[in-house]
Structure formats: structure tokens, C-alpha cells
Amino acid sequence: MIVRGDIIFTKEATEFTIFEDSYLLIDEAGKIEGIVQEIETGREYTDHRGKLIIPSFVDLHLHANQFANCGLGNDEELLGWLEKYTFKEEVKFKDLDYAREIYKLVLNRLWEAGSLRSVIYASLYTKTTSLLFDLALESGLSSYIGKVNMDRNVPEYYSETTEESLAGTREIIERYGQISQLIKPIITPRFVPHCTSESMAGQGKLSIEYSVPVQSHINESKKEIEWVKSLHPEALNYSSVYDEYDLFGEKAPALMAHCIHNTKEEIELMKKRQVYPVHCPESNANLSSGIMAVKKMLEEGLPVSLGSDISGGHHLYLPYQMVLAIQLSKMKGRLEDDMSHVIGLPEAIYMATKSGGSFFGKTGSFETGYSADFLVINTDSLMNIKEERSIKEKLEKFIYIGSAANIEARYLEGKLLEKPFKE
């Protein structure tokens, strides 16, 4: 397969690699063979001249069961928001018909947004989590999906025993662990305050036994951190609690959303374990949680990535998160009188593509051997009649003022993806 267009991506976090009016060569396995300026006369290609060819987006943190709550509860902070809004919505997913309706919408919206790979919190309920796996397999998208585990400090109407938690997680792993290279399970402790030591120990053992990665939350709010200290006074810090139970990247890859209020010791442990810090800017702003030190963490060599974090965040469309990540870094720089915190568009794109994509392997870039996951972007509607812009400027306009309507085509592993479900 050969695709012609204006190709732009980020090999490194701080700069774009650009090929104007060039050809993206893709082999039969859906991998990038290379980029060339010319091809032999007569060779067939898909013509997208004048349009951008960019890597598809990777959303490393979202809660499918919260989709209906997007745009609600943003006058609350984290812990109050969970009690007043989140649990009351998530308990509705006992109803499989309701869950099916919402899950189809989530998968459709991920496709529309160009987030062709994602990492998803599913449900406390094993049957409902299985439903999301089945729909995701049907969708053609690529995801890690986790059964949510929480066996303490939760409402009686929305809880499970430790035994139910671990049995359900094992069931999901054994049922879906080997079915597909695109859809895989991930161990999902909600966060430390909602998981007993027995549950965390059991989840860590399952992660090691089946070589399954882990996702959770950490250092999102100061009240949350104080809560963790009260529950685990023996622990050095929040990170060390996860680490004690093999949930922090030593034995299997780990994603940790938010990572706002980190100590130096925690940053060092993240580096040692190569934990993925997932920046969720819209959620952090909505819930008044704080601002992640994105630039510093990137400079430390950490694979910082982006998450929509619906419904703490209220948009699945990842460019909104990119723009806000840039804006918040500027605000952090001004507030702390240290403009070295500021990131630019290349870093934002990098986090949403190559950095996040590395959790899935070699994806998120157009380097040789990477998966051919890409979007075709038409920016004509974003330009004035006489406006002439460079490829970088066209991308900037798309990220800042474009929408999913500007995405003309979506490819995963070299295959054109159509909208998964009828609405």
C-alpha cells in the first residue's frame, strides 16, 4: 500500500519530522516500510495530496462507564465528585442493555476522534466488562480494557468482595487474554483507597502470572494523598504502596494517571520502573486537582502520555487535551516563575502519538517497522480563501480550531477503518 500526502510526525518530543507531498510505503503486514519523495511511474497509490497524514491518536486513560456524565459535576473536587456523580452512574451498568448502548457510543466516539488505540476502565461487573470486550473486538479498534476492582471505602450499593474482585479479573484475563492482538486485558485497581491490601496483592500476582499490564490513578489530589497516608502509614509514599504489591511497573508495564503531586523519590521510582505517567489536563482542571509538571517529566525520560479521562474530562477528542496541556504548562510556568515548564505543539503531539503508542509497541510514528496507524486530515475548511500555510501551520490549525469533521480517513495497521456501529 502507498499513501500520498503531506506527512508530519514526531520522532522526538521537541520537533516535527516533515515530508511535503511524499509517499508513505506500507507493507502487507501493515507496517511502515519508509517514506519517499518519488515512486516508479505506474505504481498505484491512494492520493491525499494537499492533506495531512499524521499518526492516529492514543488515549491512555478513560472511563467508559462514565461517558453519560461528561459535562457534569465539574463544580466538585475528586472525592466529592466520585460520591455525588460517578458511582451513581457506574452502578447503572448492572443493566447490560444500558451498558451496550453506552459502550457502542464510546467506541464510535473514539473512532470519530481518531483515537484508534486506547486504554479503558470498564465496569466493576464482570459480565458488563465482558460485553465491552466483545463490542471492542467487533469495532476494529485497538484497546486494553480492565475490569475495575474496588473492595473497600465504597458505597454499599456499589461494591464487591475481595474474592469477587479477583475471580472476576482472572475470568476476564483467561477469556480474553489470547483472543486478539488488538484487544487485551489490563489489571485495574481503581486506586489505593478503594482496594484492600489483599486485593492489591492478588492483582499483583495475577499481573505476574499472566504477564498483564496495570492501570490506576496516583497523586491526583492532595486530599487523596492524605487518605492514602492514613490507610498505609507504614508506606514511604503513594507510589511505594503500588510498588509493594507489584503494581508499579517492575514485573509488568504500568500506567498511572495524573501524577501531579509527586515527591522526588516517586519520580525516581517511576524512572526506575518506567511507569507511564498519563496527563489528563481537562480532568485536572475540572476537578481543581493541579497541573502536572509535564516538561520536567519528559526531560526525566518518562513516557508521559495523554488521556481524555472522561468523565473527569468532558471531551474524548484528544486535540482538546493537547491544547489544554500546552496552556496549563504556560500557566504553571508563570505561577512558578519558571518558564522551563512550557511545552509546545511537538510535545503535545508526541504525547498523543509516539509516547502513548509505545505502550502498544511500535506505533505512533512513521519510522520504519512501526504500525501504519494514521489519520488523513483535510484542513481546507480551516483556511481563509487566500491563506497559504506551511504543513506545520496546517497541523497547528487543525489541533487548535479543527474537529473530528476534518478527519477524512482513519487507518489502523494499514487498514481503513469504518465507523464501528450504526446510530
PDB file of all heavy atoms in Angstrom, residues 25-60:
ATOM      1  N   LEU A  25       5.084   4.352   2.462  1.00  0.00           N
ATOM      2  CA  LEU A  25       5.089   2.978   1.970  1.00  0.00           C
ATOM      3  C   LEU A  25       4.737   2.031   3.113  1.00  0.00           C
ATOM      4  O   LEU A  25       5.355   2.068   4.180  1.00  0.00           O
ATOM      5  CB  LEU A  25       6.466   2.622   1.419  1.00  0.00           C
ATOM      6  CG  LEU A  25       7.069   3.598   0.387  1.00  0.00           C
ATOM      7  CD1 LEU A  25       8.432   3.090  -0.070  1.00  0.00           C
ATOM      8  CD2 LEU A  25       6.131   3.799  -0.791  1.00  0.00           C
ATOM      9  N   ILE A  26       3.747   1.151   2.870  1.00  0.00           N
ATOM     10  CA  ILE A  26       3.229   0.259   3.902  1.00  0.00           C
ATOM     11  C   ILE A  26       3.253  -1.174   3.379  1.00  0.00           C
ATOM     12  O   ILE A  26       2.767  -1.449   2.271  1.00  0.00           O
ATOM     13  CB  ILE A  26       1.782   0.653   4.287  1.00  0.00           C
ATOM     14  CG1 ILE A  26       1.758   2.114   4.774  1.00  0.00           C
ATOM     15  CG2 ILE A  26       1.215  -0.285   5.341  1.00  0.00           C
ATOM     16  CD1 ILE A  26       0.379   2.716   4.830  1.00  0.00           C
ATOM     17  N   ASP A  27       3.825  -2.091   4.162  1.00  0.00           N
ATOM     18  CA  ASP A  27       3.917  -3.468   3.688  1.00  0.00           C
ATOM     19  C   ASP A  27       2.621  -4.243   3.950  1.00  0.00           C
ATOM     20  O   ASP A  27       1.659  -3.712   4.522  1.00  0.00           O
ATOM     21  CB  ASP A  27       5.131  -4.182   4.300  1.00  0.00           C
ATOM     22  CG  ASP A  27       5.019  -4.409   5.809  1.00  0.00           C
ATOM     23  OD1 ASP A  27       3.891  -4.369   6.350  1.00  0.00           O
ATOM     24  OD2 ASP A  27       6.063  -4.624   6.454  1.00  0.00           O
ATOM     25  N   GLU A  28       2.591  -5.509   3.531  1.00  0.00           N
ATOM     26  CA  GLU A  28       1.375  -6.314   3.624  1.00  0.00           C
ATOM     27  C   GLU A  28       0.971  -6.604   5.069  1.00  0.00           C
ATOM     28  O   GLU A  28      -0.187  -6.919   5.345  1.00  0.00           O
ATOM     29  CB  GLU A  28       1.562  -7.628   2.866  1.00  0.00           C
ATOM     30  CG  GLU A  28       1.680  -7.435   1.363  1.00  0.00           C
ATOM     31  CD  GLU A  28       1.807  -8.760   0.626  1.00  0.00           C
ATOM     32  OE1 GLU A  28       1.860  -9.815   1.304  1.00  0.00           O
ATOM     33  OE2 GLU A  28       1.837  -8.745  -0.619  1.00  0.00           O
ATOM     34  N   ALA A  29       1.911  -6.505   5.987  1.00  0.00           N
ATOM     35  CA  ALA A  29       1.611  -6.729   7.402  1.00  0.00           C
ATOM     36  C   ALA A  29       1.117  -5.470   8.098  1.00  0.00           C
ATOM     37  O   ALA A  29       0.861  -5.483   9.311  1.00  0.00           O
ATOM     38  CB  ALA A  29       2.854  -7.263   8.114  1.00  0.00           C
ATOM     39  N   GLY A  30       0.986  -4.372   7.342  1.00  0.00           N
ATOM     40  CA  GLY A  30       0.521  -3.122   7.938  1.00  0.00           C
ATOM     41  C   GLY A  30       1.589  -2.349   8.672  1.00  0.00           C
ATOM     42  O   GLY A  30       1.299  -1.541   9.555  1.00  0.00           O
ATOM     43  N   LYS A  31       2.862  -2.563   8.286  1.00  0.00           N
ATOM     44  CA  LYS A  31       3.988  -1.856   8.903  1.00  0.00           C
ATOM     45  C   LYS A  31       4.563  -0.831   7.929  1.00  0.00           C
ATOM     46  O   LYS A  31       4.511  -0.999   6.706  1.00  0.00           O
ATOM     47  CB  LYS A  31       5.094  -2.845   9.301  1.00  0.00           C
ATOM     48  CG  LYS A  31       4.646  -3.984  10.196  1.00  0.00           C
ATOM     49  CD  LYS A  31       4.216  -3.511  11.565  1.00  0.00           C
ATOM     50  CE  LYS A  31       3.881  -4.692  12.465  1.00  0.00           C
ATOM     51  NZ  LYS A  31       3.346  -4.240  13.776  1.00  0.00           N
ATOM     52  N   ILE A  32       5.157   0.216   8.486  1.00  0.00           N
ATOM     53  CA  ILE A  32       5.786   1.255   7.674  1.00  0.00           C
ATOM     54  C   ILE A  32       7.082   0.720   7.062  1.00  0.00           C
ATOM     55  O   ILE A  32       7.962   0.234   7.778  1.00  0.00           O
ATOM     56  CB  ILE A  32       6.092   2.515   8.519  1.00  0.00           C
ATOM     57  CG1 ILE A  32       4.816   3.063   9.168  1.00  0.00           C
ATOM     58  CG2 ILE A  32       6.786   3.573   7.658  1.00  0.00           C
ATOM     59  CD1 ILE A  32       3.776   3.558   8.222  1.00  0.00           C
ATOM     60  N   GLU A  33       7.199   0.822   5.746  1.00  0.00           N
ATOM     61  CA  GLU A  33       8.440   0.452   5.059  1.00  0.00           C
ATOM     62  C   GLU A  33       9.361   1.648   4.899  1.00  0.00           C
ATOM     63  O   GLU A  33      10.580   1.503   4.880  1.00  0.00           O
ATOM     64  CB  GLU A  33       8.132  -0.117   3.676  1.00  0.00           C
ATOM     65  CG  GLU A  33       7.544  -1.511   3.678  1.00  0.00           C
ATOM     66  CD  GLU A  33       7.417  -2.092   2.281  1.00  0.00           C
ATOM     67  OE1 GLU A  33       7.202  -1.302   1.325  1.00  0.00           O
ATOM     68  OE2 GLU A  33       7.535  -3.317   2.126  1.00  0.00           O
ATOM     69  N   GLY A  34       8.779   2.831   4.775  1.00  0.00           N
ATOM     70  CA  GLY A  34       9.589   4.035   4.605  1.00  0.00           C
ATOM     71  C   GLY A  34       8.773   5.159   4.010  1.00  0.00           C
ATOM     72  O   GLY A  34       7.561   5.034   3.782  1.00  0.00           O
ATOM     73  N   ILE A  35       9.444   6.276   3.796  1.00  0.00           N
ATOM     74  CA  ILE A  35       8.827   7.453   3.179  1.00  0.00           C
ATOM     75  C   ILE A  35       9.737   7.898   2.043  1.00  0.00           C
ATOM     76  O   ILE A  35      10.949   8.041   2.234  1.00  0.00           O
ATOM     77  CB  ILE A  35       8.661   8.601   4.191  1.00  0.00           C
ATOM     78  CG1 ILE A  35       7.782   8.162   5.367  1.00  0.00           C
ATOM     79  CG2 ILE A  35       8.059   9.842   3.521  1.00  0.00           C
ATOM     80  CD1 ILE A  35       7.753   9.138   6.527  1.00  0.00           C
ATOM     81  N   VAL A  36       9.174   8.100   0.868  1.00  0.00           N
ATOM     82  CA  VAL A  36       9.968   8.516  -0.293  1.00  0.00           C
ATOM     83  C   VAL A  36       9.313   9.709  -0.968  1.00  0.00           C
ATOM     84  O   VAL A  36       8.109   9.947  -0.826  1.00  0.00           O
ATOM     85  CB  VAL A  36      10.140   7.360  -1.303  1.00  0.00           C
ATOM     86  CG1 VAL A  36      10.926   6.213  -0.675  1.00  0.00           C
ATOM     87  CG2 VAL A  36       8.790   6.866  -1.817  1.00  0.00           C
ATOM     88  N   GLN A  37      10.132  10.454  -1.722  1.00  0.00           N
ATOM     89  CA  GLN A  37       9.631  11.634  -2.440  1.00  0.00           C
ATOM     90  C   GLN A  37       9.045  11.266  -3.795  1.00  0.00           C
ATOM     91  O   GLN A  37       8.170  11.964  -4.308  1.00  0.00           O
ATOM     92  CB  GLN A  37      10.769  12.650  -2.641  1.00  0.00           C
ATOM     93  CG  GLN A  37      11.441  13.089  -1.350  1.00  0.00           C
ATOM     94  CD  GLN A  37      10.745  14.270  -0.688  1.00  0.00           C
ATOM     95  OE1 GLN A  37      11.311  15.328  -0.583  1.00  0.00           O
ATOM     96  NE2 GLN A  37       9.532  14.113  -0.237  1.00  0.00           N
ATOM     97  N   GLU A  38       9.517  10.149  -4.353  1.00  0.00           N
ATOM     98  CA  GLU A  38       9.031   9.724  -5.665  1.00  0.00           C
ATOM     99  C   GLU A  38       8.856   8.209  -5.689  1.00  0.00           C
ATOM    100  O   GLU A  38       9.521   7.485  -4.946  1.00  0.00           O
ATOM    101  CB  GLU A  38      10.029  10.129  -6.755  1.00  0.00           C
ATOM    102  CG  GLU A  38      10.218  11.643  -6.904  1.00  0.00           C
ATOM    103  CD  GLU A  38      11.217  11.987  -8.003  1.00  0.00           C
ATOM    104  OE1 GLU A  38      11.783  11.040  -8.610  1.00  0.00           O
ATOM    105  OE2 GLU A  38      11.434  13.185  -8.243  1.00  0.00           O
ATOM    106  N   ILE A  39       7.966   7.745  -6.553  1.00  0.00           N
ATOM    107  CA  ILE A  39       7.786   6.311  -6.784  1.00  0.00           C
ATOM    108  C   ILE A  39       7.857   6.044  -8.280  1.00  0.00           C
ATOM    109  O   ILE A  39       7.772   6.968  -9.098  1.00  0.00           O
ATOM    110  CB  ILE A  39       6.459   5.791  -6.211  1.00  0.00           C
ATOM    111  CG1 ILE A  39       5.280   6.531  -6.833  1.00  0.00           C
ATOM    112  CG2 ILE A  39       6.444   5.900  -4.702  1.00  0.00           C
ATOM    113  CD1 ILE A  39       3.929   5.943  -6.457  1.00  0.00           C
ATOM    114  N   GLU A  40       7.993   4.793  -8.621  1.00  0.00           N
ATOM    115  CA  GLU A  40       8.069   4.426 -10.035  1.00  0.00           C
ATOM    116  C   GLU A  40       6.776   4.788 -10.757  1.00  0.00           C
ATOM    117  O   GLU A  40       5.682   4.627 -10.215  1.00  0.00           O
ATOM    118  CB  GLU A  40       8.323   2.921 -10.171  1.00  0.00           C
ATOM    119  CG  GLU A  40       9.657   2.474  -9.604  1.00  0.00           C
ATOM    120  CD  GLU A  40       9.776   0.950  -9.606  1.00  0.00           C
ATOM    121  OE1 GLU A  40       8.892   0.293 -10.188  1.00  0.00           O
ATOM    122  OE2 GLU A  40      10.744   0.445  -9.030  1.00  0.00           O
ATOM    123  N   THR A  41       6.892   5.255 -11.956  1.00  0.00           N
ATOM    124  CA  THR A  41       5.728   5.599 -12.773  1.00  0.00           C
ATOM    125  C   THR A  41       4.838   4.369 -12.931  1.00  0.00           C
ATOM    126  O   THR A  41       5.311   3.264 -13.193  1.00  0.00           O
ATOM    127  CB  THR A  41       6.166   6.098 -14.158  1.00  0.00           C
ATOM    128  OG1 THR A  41       7.037   7.226 -13.996  1.00  0.00           O
ATOM    129  CG2 THR A  41       4.967   6.503 -15.003  1.00  0.00           C
ATOM    130  N   GLY A  42       3.549   4.572 -12.748  1.00  0.00           N
ATOM    131  CA  GLY A  42       2.601   3.483 -12.932  1.00  0.00           C
ATOM    132  C   GLY A  42       2.205   2.762 -11.654  1.00  0.00           C
ATOM    133  O   GLY A  42       1.230   2.000 -11.658  1.00  0.00           O
ATOM    134  N   ARG A  43       2.951   2.966 -10.561  1.00  0.00           N
ATOM    135  CA  ARG A  43       2.586   2.303  -9.293  1.00  0.00           C
ATOM    136  C   ARG A  43       1.326   2.944  -8.712  1.00  0.00           C
ATOM    137  O   ARG A  43       1.154   4.163  -8.726  1.00  0.00           O
ATOM    138  CB  ARG A  43       3.714   2.400  -8.275  1.00  0.00           C
ATOM    139  CG  ARG A  43       4.932   1.550  -8.615  1.00  0.00           C
ATOM    140  CD  ARG A  43       5.880   1.443  -7.440  1.00  0.00           C
ATOM    141  NE  ARG A  43       5.326   0.622  -6.355  1.00  0.00           N
ATOM    142  CZ  ARG A  43       5.951   0.405  -5.204  1.00  0.00           C
ATOM    143  NH1 ARG A  43       7.136   0.957  -4.962  1.00  0.00           N
ATOM    144  NH2 ARG A  43       5.396  -0.353  -4.268  1.00  0.00           N
ATOM    145  N   GLU A  44       0.432   2.118  -8.209  1.00  0.00           N
ATOM    146  CA  GLU A  44      -0.808   2.622  -7.646  1.00  0.00           C
ATOM    147  C   GLU A  44      -0.585   3.177  -6.244  1.00  0.00           C
ATOM    148  O   GLU A  44       0.249   2.674  -5.494  1.00  0.00           O
ATOM    149  CB  GLU A  44      -1.849   1.502  -7.591  1.00  0.00           C
ATOM    150  CG  GLU A  44      -2.294   1.019  -8.967  1.00  0.00           C
ATOM    151  CD  GLU A  44      -3.402  -0.013  -8.869  1.00  0.00           C
ATOM    152  OE1 GLU A  44      -3.799  -0.361  -7.727  1.00  0.00           O
ATOM    153  OE2 GLU A  44      -3.867  -0.476  -9.923  1.00  0.00           O
ATOM    154  N   TYR A  45      -1.345   4.208  -5.926  1.00  0.00           N
ATOM    155  CA  TYR A  45      -1.281   4.786  -4.587  1.00  0.00           C
ATOM    156  C   TYR A  45      -2.610   5.455  -4.259  1.00  0.00           C
ATOM    157  O   TYR A  45      -3.397   5.782  -5.153  1.00  0.00           O
ATOM    158  CB  TYR A  45      -0.127   5.789  -4.474  1.00  0.00           C
ATOM    159  CG  TYR A  45      -0.209   6.965  -5.418  1.00  0.00           C
ATOM    160  CD1 TYR A  45      -0.920   8.122  -5.069  1.00  0.00           C
ATOM    161  CD2 TYR A  45       0.423   6.929  -6.668  1.00  0.00           C
ATOM    162  CE1 TYR A  45      -0.992   9.207  -5.930  1.00  0.00           C
ATOM    163  CE2 TYR A  45       0.361   8.011  -7.532  1.00  0.00           C
ATOM    164  CZ  TYR A  45      -0.354   9.144  -7.159  1.00  0.00           C
ATOM    165  OH  TYR A  45      -0.425  10.201  -8.020  1.00  0.00           O
ATOM    166  N   THR A  46      -2.853   5.634  -2.968  1.00  0.00           N
ATOM    167  CA  THR A  46      -4.027   6.374  -2.512  1.00  0.00           C
ATOM    168  C   THR A  46      -3.644   7.837  -2.427  1.00  0.00           C
ATOM    169  O   THR A  46      -2.698   8.199  -1.723  1.00  0.00           O
ATOM    170  CB  THR A  46      -4.493   5.860  -1.130  1.00  0.00           C
ATOM    171  OG1 THR A  46      -4.762   4.459  -1.227  1.00  0.00           O
ATOM    172  CG2 THR A  46      -5.752   6.584  -0.687  1.00  0.00           C
ATOM    173  N   ASP A  47      -4.362   8.662  -3.152  1.00  0.00           N
ATOM    174  CA  ASP A  47      -3.965  10.061  -3.330  1.00  0.00           C
ATOM    175  C   ASP A  47      -4.651  10.980  -2.319  1.00  0.00           C
ATOM    176  O   ASP A  47      -5.866  11.165  -2.363  1.00  0.00           O
ATOM    177  CB  ASP A  47      -4.311  10.498  -4.755  1.00  0.00           C
ATOM    178  CG  ASP A  47      -3.634  11.807  -5.145  1.00  0.00           C
ATOM    179  OD1 ASP A  47      -3.065  12.466  -4.248  1.00  0.00           O
ATOM    180  OD2 ASP A  47      -3.665  12.168  -6.330  1.00  0.00           O
ATOM    181  N   HIS A  48      -3.844  11.536  -1.424  1.00  0.00           N
ATOM    182  CA  HIS A  48      -4.340  12.526  -0.464  1.00  0.00           C
ATOM    183  C   HIS A  48      -3.514  13.805  -0.575  1.00  0.00           C
ATOM    184  O   HIS A  48      -3.210  14.455   0.439  1.00  0.00           O
ATOM    185  CB  HIS A  48      -4.281  11.972   0.963  1.00  0.00           C
ATOM    186  CG  HIS A  48      -5.225  10.851   1.227  1.00  0.00           C
ATOM    187  ND1 HIS A  48      -6.597  10.974   1.133  1.00  0.00           N
ATOM    188  CD2 HIS A  48      -4.992   9.548   1.569  1.00  0.00           C
ATOM    189  CE1 HIS A  48      -7.166   9.821   1.422  1.00  0.00           C
ATOM    190  NE2 HIS A  48      -6.220   8.939   1.680  1.00  0.00           N
ATOM    191  N   ARG A  49      -3.154  14.177  -1.786  1.00  0.00           N
ATOM    192  CA  ARG A  49      -2.372  15.402  -1.987  1.00  0.00           C
ATOM    193  C   ARG A  49      -3.082  16.620  -1.395  1.00  0.00           C
ATOM    194  O   ARG A  49      -4.297  16.772  -1.530  1.00  0.00           O
ATOM    195  CB  ARG A  49      -2.118  15.625  -3.473  1.00  0.00           C
ATOM    196  CG  ARG A  49      -0.852  14.971  -3.989  1.00  0.00           C
ATOM    197  CD  ARG A  49      -0.683  15.150  -5.478  1.00  0.00           C
ATOM    198  NE  ARG A  49      -1.635  14.323  -6.224  1.00  0.00           N
ATOM    199  CZ  ARG A  49      -1.667  14.233  -7.538  1.00  0.00           C
ATOM    200  NH1 ARG A  49      -0.811  14.935  -8.268  1.00  0.00           N
ATOM    201  NH2 ARG A  49      -2.541  13.458  -8.133  1.00  0.00           N
ATOM    202  N   GLY A  50      -2.291  17.465  -0.738  1.00  0.00           N
ATOM    203  CA  GLY A  50      -2.843  18.653  -0.113  1.00  0.00           C
ATOM    204  C   GLY A  50      -3.430  18.411   1.266  1.00  0.00           C
ATOM    205  O   GLY A  50      -3.889  19.347   1.924  1.00  0.00           O
ATOM    206  N   LYS A  51      -3.410  17.153   1.709  1.00  0.00           N
ATOM    207  CA  LYS A  51      -3.946  16.804   3.026  1.00  0.00           C
ATOM    208  C   LYS A  51      -2.825  16.298   3.929  1.00  0.00           C
ATOM    209  O   LYS A  51      -1.786  15.843   3.452  1.00  0.00           O
ATOM    210  CB  LYS A  51      -5.042  15.755   2.874  1.00  0.00           C
ATOM    211  CG  LYS A  51      -6.215  16.273   2.042  1.00  0.00           C
ATOM    212  CD  LYS A  51      -7.171  15.172   1.639  1.00  0.00           C
ATOM    213  CE  LYS A  51      -8.223  15.734   0.681  1.00  0.00           C
ATOM    214  NZ  LYS A  51      -9.134  14.673   0.176  1.00  0.00           N
ATOM    215  N   LEU A  52      -3.055  16.394   5.221  1.00  0.00           N
ATOM    216  CA  LEU A  52      -2.065  15.954   6.195  1.00  0.00           C
ATOM    217  C   LEU A  52      -2.206  14.456   6.457  1.00  0.00           C
ATOM    218  O   LEU A  52      -3.322  13.936   6.589  1.00  0.00           O
ATOM    219  CB  LEU A  52      -2.240  16.697   7.514  1.00  0.00           C
ATOM    220  CG  LEU A  52      -2.127  18.229   7.498  1.00  0.00           C
ATOM    221  CD1 LEU A  52      -2.369  18.779   8.904  1.00  0.00           C
ATOM    222  CD2 LEU A  52      -0.787  18.677   6.981  1.00  0.00           C
ATOM    223  N   ILE A  53      -1.083  13.784   6.558  1.00  0.00           N
ATOM    224  CA  ILE A  53      -1.040  12.403   7.017  1.00  0.00           C
ATOM    225  C   ILE A  53      -0.312  12.429   8.357  1.00  0.00           C
ATOM    226  O   ILE A  53       0.875  12.761   8.433  1.00  0.00           O
ATOM    227  CB  ILE A  53      -0.276  11.498   6.031  1.00  0.00           C
ATOM    228  CG1 ILE A  53      -0.776  11.677   4.600  1.00  0.00           C
ATOM    229  CG2 ILE A  53      -0.362  10.038   6.483  1.00  0.00           C
ATOM    230  CD1 ILE A  53      -2.200  11.270   4.367  1.00  0.00           C
ATOM    231  N   ILE A  54      -1.038  12.124   9.434  1.00  0.00           N
ATOM    232  CA  ILE A  54      -0.455  12.164  10.777  1.00  0.00           C
ATOM    233  C   ILE A  54      -0.718  10.829  11.489  1.00  0.00           C
ATOM    234  O   ILE A  54      -1.679  10.123  11.150  1.00  0.00           O
ATOM    235  CB  ILE A  54      -1.015  13.330  11.619  1.00  0.00           C
ATOM    236  CG1 ILE A  54      -2.496  13.094  11.972  1.00  0.00           C
ATOM    237  CG2 ILE A  54      -0.842  14.655  10.898  1.00  0.00           C
ATOM    238  CD1 ILE A  54      -3.067  14.110  12.955  1.00  0.00           C
ATOM    239  N   PRO A  55       0.094  10.460  12.485  1.00  0.00           N
ATOM    240  CA  PRO A  55      -0.212   9.252  13.259  1.00  0.00           C
ATOM    241  C   PRO A  55      -1.564   9.402  13.967  1.00  0.00           C
ATOM    242  O   PRO A  55      -1.934  10.497  14.400  1.00  0.00           O
ATOM    243  CB  PRO A  55       0.931   9.174  14.275  1.00  0.00           C
ATOM    244  CG  PRO A  55       2.047   9.962  13.659  1.00  0.00           C
ATOM    245  CD  PRO A  55       1.377  11.072  12.912  1.00  0.00           C
ATOM    246  N   SER A  56      -2.302   8.310  14.074  1.00  0.00           N
ATOM    247  CA  SER A  56      -3.561   8.358  14.823  1.00  0.00           C
ATOM    248  C   SER A  56      -3.258   8.557  16.308  1.00  0.00           C
ATOM    249  O   SER A  56      -2.142   8.329  16.778  1.00  0.00           O
ATOM    250  CB  SER A  56      -4.368   7.083  14.601  1.00  0.00           C
ATOM    251  OG  SER A  56      -3.639   5.946  15.002  1.00  0.00           O
ATOM    252  N   PHE A  57      -4.272   8.995  17.044  1.00  0.00           N
ATOM    253  CA  PHE A  57      -4.093   9.342  18.446  1.00  0.00           C
ATOM    254  C   PHE A  57      -4.238   8.111  19.345  1.00  0.00           C
ATOM    255  O   PHE A  57      -4.895   7.125  18.994  1.00  0.00           O
ATOM    256  CB  PHE A  57      -5.112  10.402  18.863  1.00  0.00           C
ATOM    257  CG  PHE A  57      -5.059  11.642  18.027  1.00  0.00           C
ATOM    258  CD1 PHE A  57      -6.229  12.247  17.576  1.00  0.00           C
ATOM    259  CD2 PHE A  57      -3.850  12.215  17.673  1.00  0.00           C
ATOM    260  CE1 PHE A  57      -6.192  13.392  16.796  1.00  0.00           C
ATOM    261  CE2 PHE A  57      -3.794  13.363  16.887  1.00  0.00           C
ATOM    262  CZ  PHE A  57      -4.977  13.950  16.447  1.00  0.00           C
ATOM    263  N   VAL A  58      -3.614   8.212  20.515  1.00  0.00           N
ATOM    264  CA  VAL A  58      -3.661   7.150  21.519  1.00  0.00           C
ATOM    265  C   VAL A  58      -4.143   7.769  22.828  1.00  0.00           C
ATOM    266  O   VAL A  58      -3.492   8.658  23.377  1.00  0.00           O
ATOM    267  CB  VAL A  58      -2.270   6.504  21.701  1.00  0.00           C
ATOM    268  CG1 VAL A  58      -2.344   5.383  22.729  1.00  0.00           C
ATOM    269  CG2 VAL A  58      -1.743   5.977  20.371  1.00  0.00           C
ATOM    270  N   ASP A  59      -5.283   7.310  23.328  1.00  0.00           N
ATOM    271  CA  ASP A  59      -5.883   7.811  24.559  1.00  0.00           C
ATOM    272  C   ASP A  59      -5.613   6.780  25.655  1.00  0.00           C
ATOM    273  O   ASP A  59      -6.236   5.716  25.686  1.00  0.00           O
ATOM    274  CB  ASP A  59      -7.388   8.006  24.347  1.00  0.00           C
ATOM    275  CG  ASP A  59      -8.075   8.699  25.518  1.00  0.00           C
ATOM    276  OD1 ASP A  59      -7.528   8.668  26.636  1.00  0.00           O
ATOM    277  OD2 ASP A  59      -9.172   9.260  25.320  1.00  0.00           O
ATOM    278  N   LEU A  60      -4.694   7.099  26.562  1.00  0.00           N
ATOM    279  CA  LEU A  60      -4.256   6.105  27.538  1.00  0.00           C
ATOM    280  C   LEU A  60      -5.050   6.094  28.844  1.00  0.00           C
ATOM    281  O   LEU A  60      -4.706   5.335  29.747  1.00  0.00           O
ATOM    282  CB  LEU A  60      -2.769   6.293  27.863  1.00  0.00           C
ATOM    283  CG  LEU A  60      -1.758   5.748  26.854  1.00  0.00           C
ATOM    284  CD1 LEU A  60      -0.371   5.669  27.471  1.00  0.00           C
ATOM    285  CD2 LEU A  60      -2.150   4.380  26.320  1.00  0.00           C
TER     286      LEU A  60
END
